[in-house]
Amino acid sequence: MDSMADIKQTFFQECDDLLGELESGLLDMESGEGDSETVAAIFRAVHSIKGGAGAFGLDKLVAFAHIFETTLDEVRADRLEATPDVLSVLLRSSDVLADLVGAAQKDEELGEERTAGLVGELSAFVGASADASEEPAAVGEDIAFAPLGMDFDLDDAIGDLDGPEDTQCYTIKFRPQPELYANGNETVLLMRNLADLGEMQVACDESKIPTLDELDPEGAYLAWTITMHTSHSESELLEVFEFVEGDCELEISLDEAPSDTTESDLVDNEATPTGEEVATTDVEGASASAEDEVANKDNVVQLAEQKDKQKPAAAAKASTEKDTSDATIRVNLGRIDRLVNLVGELVINQAMLTQGVIDAGLERGDSVESGLEELKQLTREIQESVMAIRAQPVKALFQRMSRIVREAARATKKSVHLVMEGEMTEVDKTVVERLADPLTHMIRNAVDHGLETAEERIANGKPAEGTVSLTAAHRSGRVVIEVSDDGAGINRERVKKIALEKGLISPDEQLSDSEVDNLLFMPGFSTVDKVSNLSGRGVGMDVVKRAIQAVGGKISISSKPGKGSTFSISLPLTLAILDGMVVEVADQTLVVPLTAIVETLKPTPSDIHELGAGAKVISIRGEFIPVIDAGRSMGYRNEPVDPLHGVVLSVETEDGARAAVIVDTIQDQRQVVIKSLEENFGHVASVAAATILGDGRIALILDVDSIIAREGSARLFHETNLAATG
Amino acid sequence: MSDTEIKKSEDALELVAFCVGDQEYCVNIMSVREIRGWTKETSLPLTPPFVRGVINLRGSVVPVVDLASRLGLETTEPSARHVIIIMQIGEQAVGLVVDAVSDILTILTEKIQPTPDVSSDAARDFVQGVLAMEERMINLLDLSTVLPAVSAEGIAA
């Protein structure tokens, strides 16, 4: 039971990948980049999902996948042209397929209404093209899971080299090995499946059966030679044997190949162990060598795929190369995290060793020193490679967004075009995962609030179709993701009016444009008068901002009236490492996250003002900011330090509160490996986490938010701020 | 009963004994992860005085508790002669600063006597039982009360 659940889990994981391939393929086609290879990949993805779903008895999923697949088959066979209309239906079908998979995973049922409409649309395509084709009976409304309704011959579809030849005669030599039975496969079932594909004659070869005393009851001694007439392609025949591939000797050959003389040559060549001899420059030869590569992987199975043979050699080669370069394994995330941790140790240890060598006072040019230098390089490379394991392209995330755009566009009845750039930019897996919700929200916002209606757009001289672009790029050690629209831009007057109504600003406040834009991030701000069922769900941009800050990111807006708005998110590459400023306070080394620091400055006596009993504020460009003595706040010393003797770090919290933190000196600015305090101790006020310095000592990472909150200066800030501006 | 017989017995208990001031305490050897020389800790702000700080134990951040101070005795002024016993309590690793490790004992559980009823709070809270070894009295430390209290106060602080 458990192992079944495991297998099912694997199936759903694979479904995720397949759905990703499906969607990216469809999007490629939409942008006109798709070729027949893309269509084939899409078809395969749906087919694999259908196959897996059938095995788990997910009937609804199978039924829908079948119709979807049938339509795709039409496209693959060039009987149905991939017009924008068709693609739109296909894309929506892929969304529904994803939903069905999701529902099946959660053991839920998806309402009929989700699928019913699309089933009609898909069937209409099939019906229309089927009428025009030679075999109208081929694709029916039959939605049961059985590889029926695929009588369209692939060969027929790809080229007309063969003429109108419908059925071909294959000889299949099939010799199961004991493993086949040991793995729970059953020859009878394979034969039955094969029988579904066409007419066949089976001859059993009993010659290998030993005498009774030598007979191993669990051995496999029978072999079969199957002669079959079928309109299906060889690859479809091979699919029957998909699950027993490694456990049997299988040879499929085409007996009568009209007008394809190389075919028989190839079959002959299969007998010779290396195909290199026949790998000449002509098309067939090249594809034969590519196939030999496949065959070499598994010496038992000889593949001679009819499909590839009639394609340019390049395509066949490309697909083989792709197989090796894209090879992946699934690894438990915990293992990778452990590796990341260990490499963090290695980095620290290497720094300690370097420090030790310096302290030992070795001569310059000593072999130890050069050895250490190499170690340092290696460590850095290992660290980068390990981080790269966790890094994932944002592609999968972006693709999900294309669906959000489609849905949002439909819900708002706007016509929207999504442009994506930099999908291959890599970010830490955790960052990618935690970005999904805020990005969804921003995309919906862009479509719902950012873009105008088609009429308004035309009136403003813009194309009726709005554009939302989603880009990702590496910029100075961080990843910047931008969501922009070419809509009307932020209506600053309205934003101000709402902020006033909600009491977020005072009436006589003078706000710069960017300050007005940033009001959108204030908690409890929502510009839409009526709550739309799309984006106005009571969560505003403040939630987005908090989610992004939670992964160490920053968000900013820029907007031009009439031209559109751009939200840009800047993210760290990883969560395990933090950019920090190493400072000293009362002989203690602390690290202040760089994301929190706005600026650093040396105050002059005129900058410092007393406010009430003992409280100080500092004026930075006319703004009064409360001063916090880090040493006192952390309990390192009792006497307040004179701000003039220290360095002031102007910091900003996640909710926009500012403070000036006084430290003794700034030592360095560097990346530090984040270590949890909670693991062995518990949360400590004012401390976000710890890190290990080059000398092996622990330094604490300051929690700027909590230090400001603890000082009670969040309140003070608002009062002084209003006093200053009012 | 000889030592080997005791070891074979199911009720046998192996203990690590150590000195705190002029008292002797012990803990189950299974909860001891390692014993190392004292190194300077990084102090943690706003924590109870008996939490000396945190140290780097091969990449893990491990809190260090001054056991003497925790037990209400005189605060330790640690030097290189002091040792830190790293304890594994459930999921957490915690270091205890003690004067020195004195013994490794194998005893039968039945040898553990209930804690005598004394007025000291520390004795009642942190001592699970006492052992008589030759002329010495060794207190069996109740780790579950010594350490979670640290975290709880850490969270509260």
Side-chain angles (χ1 to χ4, degrees), chain B residues 8-9 31 33 35 47 52 76 88 104-106 121 131 133 148 151 157:
Chain B
K8 275 181 198 159
S9 162
S31 50
R33 241 171 77 174
I35 298 168
T47 45
R52 291 199 49 87
T76 315
Q88 187 71 42
I104 308 267
L105 312 163
T106 307
D121 284 344
L131 288 168
M133 288 303 284
S151 306

CSV table of all heavy atoms in Angstrom, one decimal, chain B residues 8-9 31 33 35 47 52 76 88 104-106 121 131 133 148 151 157:
chain,number,residue,atom,x,y,z
B,8,LYS,N,26.8,-5.8,32.6
B,8,LYS,CA,25.9,-6.7,31.8
B,8,LYS,C,24.5,-6.5,32.2
B,8,LYS,O,23.6,-6.7,31.5
B,8,LYS,CB,26.4,-8.1,32.0
B,8,LYS,CG,27.5,-8.5,31.0
B,8,LYS,CD,27.8,-10.0,31.3
B,8,LYS,CE,29.2,-10.3,30.7
B,8,LYS,NZ,29.8,-11.5,31.3
B,9,SER,N,24.3,-6.1,33.5
B,9,SER,CA,23.0,-6.0,34.0
B,9,SER,C,22.2,-4.9,33.2
B,9,SER,O,22.7,-3.9,32.8
B,9,SER,CB,23.1,-5.6,35.5
B,9,SER,OG,21.8,-5.1,35.9
B,31,SER,N,23.9,11.1,27.4
B,31,SER,CA,23.6,12.4,27.0
B,31,SER,C,24.8,13.3,26.8
B,31,SER,O,24.6,14.5,26.4
B,31,SER,CB,22.6,13.0,28.0
B,31,SER,OG,23.1,12.9,29.3
B,33,ARG,N,27.8,14.5,24.6
B,33,ARG,CA,28.2,14.4,23.2
B,33,ARG,C,29.8,14.5,23.2
B,33,ARG,O,30.4,13.7,22.4
B,33,ARG,CB,27.6,15.5,22.4
B,33,ARG,CG,26.8,14.9,21.3
B,33,ARG,CD,26.0,16.0,20.6
B,33,ARG,NE,26.8,16.7,19.7
B,33,ARG,CZ,26.4,17.7,18.9
B,33,ARG,NH1,25.1,17.9,18.9
B,33,ARG,NH2,27.1,18.3,18.1
B,35,ILE,N,33.5,16.3,25.4
B,35,ILE,CA,34.0,17.2,26.5
B,35,ILE,C,35.2,17.9,25.8
B,35,ILE,O,36.0,17.3,25.2
B,35,ILE,CB,34.5,16.3,27.7
B,35,ILE,CG1,33.3,15.5,28.2
B,35,ILE,CG2,35.1,17.1,28.7
B,35,ILE,CD1,33.6,14.4,29.2
B,47,THR,N,19.9,37.8,28.0
B,47,THR,CA,19.6,36.4,28.5
B,47,THR,C,20.0,36.3,30.0
B,47,THR,O,20.7,37.2,30.5
B,47,THR,CB,20.5,35.4,27.7
B,47,THR,OG1,21.8,35.9,27.6
B,47,THR,CG2,19.9,35.2,26.3
B,52,ARG,N,26.2,31.9,29.5
B,52,ARG,CA,27.5,32.6,29.2
B,52,ARG,C,27.6,33.1,27.8
B,52,ARG,O,28.2,34.1,27.5
B,52,ARG,CB,28.7,31.7,29.5
B,52,ARG,CG,28.9,31.3,31.0
B,52,ARG,CD,30.3,30.9,31.3
B,52,ARG,NE,31.3,31.7,30.7
B,52,ARG,CZ,31.8,32.8,31.3
B,52,ARG,NH1,31.4,33.1,32.5
B,52,ARG,NH2,32.7,33.5,30.7
B,76,THR,N,31.2,31.1,37.9
B,76,THR,CA,32.5,30.6,37.5
B,76,THR,C,33.3,31.7,36.8
B,76,THR,O,32.7,32.4,35.9
B,76,THR,CB,32.4,29.4,36.6
B,76,THR,OG1,31.4,28.5,37.2
B,76,THR,CG2,33.7,28.7,36.5
B,88,GLN,N,23.6,16.5,24.9
B,88,GLN,CA,22.6,16.4,23.9
B,88,GLN,C,21.3,16.1,24.6
B,88,GLN,O,21.1,15.1,25.2
B,88,GLN,CB,22.8,15.2,22.9
B,88,GLN,CG,21.9,15.1,21.7
B,88,GLN,CD,22.1,16.3,20.7
B,88,GLN,OE1,23.2,16.6,20.4
B,88,GLN,NE2,21.0,16.9,20.3
B,104,ILE,N,34.3,8.4,35.6
B,104,ILE,CA,33.3,7.7,34.8
B,104,ILE,C,32.8,6.5,35.7
B,104,ILE,O,33.7,5.7,36.1
B,104,ILE,CB,33.8,7.2,33.5
B,104,ILE,CG1,34.6,8.3,32.7
B,104,ILE,CG2,32.7,6.5,32.7
B,104,ILE,CD1,33.8,9.0,31.7
B,105,LEU,N,31.5,6.5,35.9
B,105,LEU,CA,31.1,5.4,36.9
B,105,LEU,C,30.1,4.5,36.2
B,105,LEU,O,29.4,4.9,35.3
B,105,LEU,CB,30.3,6.1,38.0
B,105,LEU,CG,30.9,7.3,38.7
B,105,LEU,CD1,29.9,8.1,39.5
B,105,LEU,CD2,32.0,6.8,39.6
B,106,THR,N,30.1,3.3,36.6
B,106,THR,CA,29.1,2.3,36.2
B,106,THR,C,28.3,1.9,37.5
B,106,THR,O,29.0,1.3,38.4
B,106,THR,CB,29.7,1.1,35.5
B,106,THR,OG1,30.5,1.6,34.5
B,106,THR,CG2,28.6,0.2,34.9
B,121,ASP,N,16.6,25.4,46.8
B,121,ASP,CA,15.7,25.3,45.6
B,121,ASP,C,16.4,24.6,44.5
B,121,ASP,O,15.9,23.7,43.8
B,121,ASP,CB,15.4,26.7,45.1
B,121,ASP,CG,14.3,27.4,46.0
B,121,ASP,OD1,13.7,26.6,46.7
B,121,ASP,OD2,14.2,28.6,45.9
B,131,LEU,N,24.1,9.7,44.9
B,131,LEU,CA,24.8,8.4,44.9
B,131,LEU,C,25.9,8.5,45.9
B,131,LEU,O,26.5,9.5,46.1
B,131,LEU,CB,25.5,8.2,43.5
B,131,LEU,CG,24.7,7.9,42.3
B,131,LEU,CD1,25.6,8.1,41.1
B,131,LEU,CD2,24.2,6.5,42.4
B,133,MET,N,29.4,7.2,46.7
B,133,MET,CA,30.6,6.5,46.1
B,133,MET,C,31.7,6.7,47.1
B,133,MET,O,32.2,7.8,47.3
B,133,MET,CB,31.0,7.1,44.8
B,133,MET,CG,30.0,6.9,43.6
B,133,MET,SD,29.8,5.1,43.3
B,133,MET,CE,31.3,4.7,42.4
B,148,PRO,N,15.8,23.0,29.5
B,148,PRO,CA,14.7,23.6,28.8
B,148,PRO,C,14.4,25.0,29.5
B,148,PRO,O,13.9,25.9,28.8
B,148,PRO,CB,13.5,22.6,29.0
B,148,PRO,CG,14.2,21.3,29.1
B,148,PRO,CD,15.5,21.6,29.9
B,151,SER,N,16.1,27.7,27.6
B,151,SER,CA,15.4,28.1,26.3
B,151,SER,C,14.2,28.9,26.6
B,151,SER,O,13.9,29.9,26.0
B,151,SER,CB,15.1,26.9,25.5
B,151,SER,OG,16.2,26.1,25.4
B,157,ALA,N,12.9,36.3,27.2
B,157,ALA,CA,13.7,37.6,27.4
B,157,ALA,C,13.6,38.5,26.1
B,157,ALA,O,13.3,38.0,25.1
B,157,ALA,CB,15.2,37.2,27.6
